[in-house]
Amino acid sequence: EELKTQAAIAAIDQDNGQTRSNRGGGRNRNFAAFVVGLCVVALVISLSIFFAKKTVGFTPPPVDRLSLSHDFVSSMPIVGKEEALADENSTQSLAIKWLANEDPLQLDIPMSADTEDAKTFMNRYIMAVLYFSTNGEKWNDQFNFLTEKTTCEWGHVYQNQFGVKFELGVACDENDSIVGIWLPLNNMNGI
């Protein structure tokens, strides 16, 4: 009977040893999982910071506004535009250069002719052609031409001695379509 007791005690000790080693193994596995999880979190944070720095200072490649403007105007049904646009010093080319690179409004360059943006762009282009072709820099009154104002604001309202008001410059309707241009006695000469 003593042998049975010793065998039972040995079996219990052996079970306790396995339980202890299983517990220790469980602790080791939990610790290993914790370390792996911590490494994954650190990696995600590092990559986020790395890519955040890349995008904060990211600047898209420059858009060639001049070429896009030239292509758009070339697509419009304007008589004689090919010859005029081919000459870098023509008033049409000067107007495109101004519109693309110097215009304070920096209008979006339209992709098709049947949009409101296209009408606005072409109105501004045509008025810039008028300005350059009539030596606008020498006009007596600039009428806000080539400024940050919209094309329909390129003008002034004057009142004569009888109280009659005159709208001089570019006149537009309620849809911002140009309906008139009146620039009297303004030292305009050119083509």
Side-chain angles (χ1 to χ4, degrees), residues 40-53:
V40 168
V41 168
L43 180 64
V44 168
I45 291 172
S46 298
L47 289 174
S48 297
I49 291 170
F50 175 76
F51 286 114
K53 286 181 181 175

Side-chain angles (χ1 to χ4, degrees), residues 6-27:
Q6 283 179 347
I9 291 173
I12 291 172
D13 282 343
Q14 189 177 12
D15 283 345
N16 283 341
Q18 283 179 348
T19 304
R20 271 189 228 117
S21 72
N22 284 348
R23 281 188 203 141
R27 276 190 226 134

Side-chain angles (χ1 to χ4, degrees), residues 23-73:
R23 281 188 203 141
R27 276 190 226 134
N28 287 343
R29 271 183 288 202
N30 288 344
F31 181 72
F34 173 74
V35 169
V36 168
L38 190 60
C39 288
V40 168
V41 168
L43 180 64
V44 168
I45 291 172
S46 298
L47 289 174
S48 297
I49 291 170
F50 175 76
F51 286 114
K53 286 181 181 175
K54 290 277 188 186
T55 56
V56 167
F58 174 76
T59 52
V63 174
D64 185 2
R65 289 182 54 84
L66 183 58
S67 292
L68 291 174
S69 298
H70 187 277
D71 292 346
F72 177 73
V73 171

Side-chain angles (χ1 to χ4, degrees), residues 140-160:
N140 295 330
D141 189 332
Q142 295 295 306
F143 291 101
N144 297 315
F145 269 65
L146 307 190
T147 66
E148 74 285 349
K149 295 182 181 265
T150 66
T151 308
C152 291
E153 295 175 305
W154 287 357
H156 305 295
V157 175
Y158 287 101
Q159 184 171 346
N160 68 11

